[in-house]
């Protein structure tokens, strides 16, 4: 196998960054496995690009003239580790985030309707019974959410995202608990505080969905 990344890309050692980029794009397209290319060839092309696309890496290679075969092996390890991490994230999003998000949406989307119904007459037994039923159903969903959240360890690379998810459904739980207290004493502040908590949770859920777009594993 060729031991020089410049030779792999078919360029001189004086090639400009644009020439390096152009050579990589051309060869990557030509030898891509999806178009019938060679796996080992594309691996060498990508490893060469990893070295030459970055000035610091390129200068380091020029100084040490490190065996290109070793660089390819290092690239293989990085690719394998990256692929493993991607799979772990994909699995976590599928098993944990998606069902939790679905349950949160069900709780949040229903609360404006229930609040509006109750506001017609908070002392109406039927309306209060309907509101209490919504609270109970929400608590059951929150219990499921907590079990799902603990069912699979979070990949280290998305710990912050996972923490934000936890804060979101905790906010929902706090709001539901405020409403539960309200049903037992009709103190308006509990009803108001619960609404504010659910609205905050709704914003948090929306932010999480925006953030998830930056992850290409769904």
């Amino acid at each position: 196998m060729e031991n020089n990344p410049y030779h792999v890309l078919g360029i001189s050692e004086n090639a400009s960054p644009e020439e390096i980029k152009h050579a990589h794009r051309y060869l990557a397209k030509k030898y891509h496995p999806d178009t019938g290319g060679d796996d080992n060839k594309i691996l060498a092309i990508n490893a060469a690009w990893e070295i030459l696309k970055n000035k610091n890496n390129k200068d380091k290679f020029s100084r040490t003239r490190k065996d290109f075969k070793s660089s390819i092996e290092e690239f293989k390890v990085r690719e394998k580790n990256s692929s493993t991490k991607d799979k772990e994230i994909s699995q976590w999003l599928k098993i944990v985030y998606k069902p939790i998000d679905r349950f949160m949406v069900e709780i949040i989307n229903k609360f404006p309707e229930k609040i509006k119904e109750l506001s017609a007459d908070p002392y109406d037994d039927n309306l209060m019974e309907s509101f209490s039923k919504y609270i109970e159903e929400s608590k059951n969903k929150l219990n499921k959410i907590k079990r799902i959240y603990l069912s699979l360890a979070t990949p280290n690379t998305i710990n912050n995202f996972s923490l934000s998810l936890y804060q979101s459904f905790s906010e929902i739980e706090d709001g539901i608990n405020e409403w539960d207290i309200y049903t037992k004493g009709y103190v308006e502040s509990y009803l108001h505080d619960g609404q504010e908590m659910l609205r905050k949770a709704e914003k948090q859920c929306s932010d999480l969905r925006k953030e998830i777009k930056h992850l290409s594993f769904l």
Side-chain angles (χ1 to χ4, degrees), residues 20 24 27 31 75 106 139 144 148 161 210 215:
I20 294 171
H24 171 256
L27 293 173
Y31 292 102
F75 183 75
E106 289 175 2
K139 285 184 175 182
K144 291 178 181 178
I148 292 169
F161 181 88
K210 291 176 183 177
L215 300 175

Side-chain angles (χ1 to χ4, degrees), residues 33-216:
D34 290 347
T35 58
D38 181 87
D39 288 344
N40 290 327
K41 182 71 173 177
I42 194 67
L43 183 65
I45 290 168
N46 286 335
W49 167 246
E50 282 296 310
I51 292 174
L52 301 182
K53 72 176 181 179
N54 180 285
K55 185 179 186 302
N56 290 333
N57 287 348
K58 184 169 66 170
D59 291 346
K60 182 179 178 181
F61 178 83
S62 296
R63 288 194 303 269
T64 62
R65 306 303 295 181
K66 185 178 180 181
D67 186 349
F68 186 50
K69 291 181 180 179
S70 298
S71 299
I72 291 178
E73 290 305 315
E74 290 176 5
F75 183 75
K76 280 183 181 179
V77 171
R78 290 201 305 273
E79 287 282 286
K80 183 178 180 181
N81 290 340
S82 177
S83 177
T84 299
K85 289 178 182 178
D86 289 356
K87 288 177 181 177
E88 289 176 352
I89 294 173
S90 179
Q91 184 181 34
W92 187 87
L93 292 173
K94 181 179 179 181
I95 295 175
V96 178
Y97 171 73
K98 274 193 167 184
I100 287 179
D101 180 63
R102 185 176 66 252
F103 280 129
M104 290 195 299
V105 167
E106 289 175 2
I107 295 172
I108 291 171
N109 284 354
K110 209 168 183 180
F111 96 80
E113 170 194 341
K114 290 300 176 182
I115 292 293
K116 184 177 180 181
E117 286 179 359
L118 188 65
S119 65
D121 185 358
Y123 298 98
D124 181 280
D125 289 342
N126 291 330
L127 293 177
M128 180 54 72
E129 182 180 352
S130 176
F131 190 65
S132 297
K133 183 179 179 182
Y134 162 68
I135 290 173
E136 191 62 31
E137 289 174 348
S138 297
K139 285 184 175 182
N140 290 335
K141 289 174 182 177
L142 284 162
N143 285 334
K144 291 178 181 178
I145 283 174
K146 285 185 276 188
R147 287 197 297 270
I148 292 169
Y149 187 77
L150 296 173
S151 68
L152 188 65
T154 305
N156 291 333
T157 50
I158 55 170
N159 272 334
N160 289 339
F161 181 88
S162 177
L163 179 59
S164 295
L165 179 65
Y166 178 84
Q167 291 171 340
S168 295
F169 66 74
S170 294
E171 194 75 37
I172 293 175
E173 184 174 39
D174 290 343
I176 294 297
N177 288 335
E178 290 290 299
W179 286 342
D180 194 26
I181 295 172
Y182 167 78
T183 63
K184 296 174 173 59
Y186 294 89
V187 179
E188 286 290 329
S189 61
Y190 289 109
L191 185 64
H192 173 75
D193 289 348
Q195 285 179 269
E196 291 304 308
M197 290 173 183
L198 265 291
R199 289 194 182 104
K200 182 178 178 181
E202 185 174 23
K203 173 66 165 54
Q204 290 172 335
C205 290
S206 176
D207 289 342
L208 285 174
R209 287 186 211 103
K210 291 176 183 177
E211 187 174 346
I212 210 72
K213 292 179 180 179
H214 297 293
L215 300 175
S216 58

